[in-house]
Amino acid sequence: MTATKIFEERSIIPTSLQQMIAFHEDPRALFKLTPPPIFMRPVRDDLRSLTSGEREFILWFGPLPVRWVARH
């Protein structure tokens, strides 16, 4: 059985709620948030809204792939 690790982070962003929602509704947002030289490949997108659903993707750290599931 694989242990589940949970990461939770909170940030204060100097912007309006409307601008923040618009950014996160953009399908390119996850690519914009992934810094180089990390390569991100989407696997599954089951988001129903910004607060419900899951996204699964693989982050490549050089030759090492890391599978990631983000629950919203």
Side-chain angles (χ1 to χ4, degrees), residues 42-61:
V43 174
R44 179 176 53 88
D45 187 345
D46 294 332
L47 280 185
R48 294 178 294 283
S49 71
L50 291 178
T51 59
S52 177
E54 291 184 349
R55 276 192 174 154
E56 182 177 356
F57 47 93
I58 296 175
L59 297 171
W60 288 88
F61 296 89

Side-chain angles (χ1 to χ4, degrees), residues 2 4 13-15 19 23 26 30 34-35 37 41 43 47-48 52-54 65 67 72:
T2 303
T4 301
I13 309 295
T15 190
Q19 288 173 317
F23 176 82
D26 184 341
L30 193 53
T34 305
R41 182 175 62 88
V43 174
L47 280 185
R48 294 178 294 283
S52 177
E54 291 184 349
R67 185 171 294 270
H72 295 256

Side-chain angles (χ1 to χ4, degrees), residues 20-46:
M20 183 66 71
I21 290 171
F23 176 82
H24 286 283
E25 285 178 335
D26 184 341
R28 299 167 297 177
L30 193 53
F31 291 100
K32 292 177 182 179
L33 292 171
T34 305
I38 299 169
F39 174 73
M40 192 271 300
R41 182 175 62 88
V43 174
R44 179 176 53 88
D45 187 345
D46 294 332

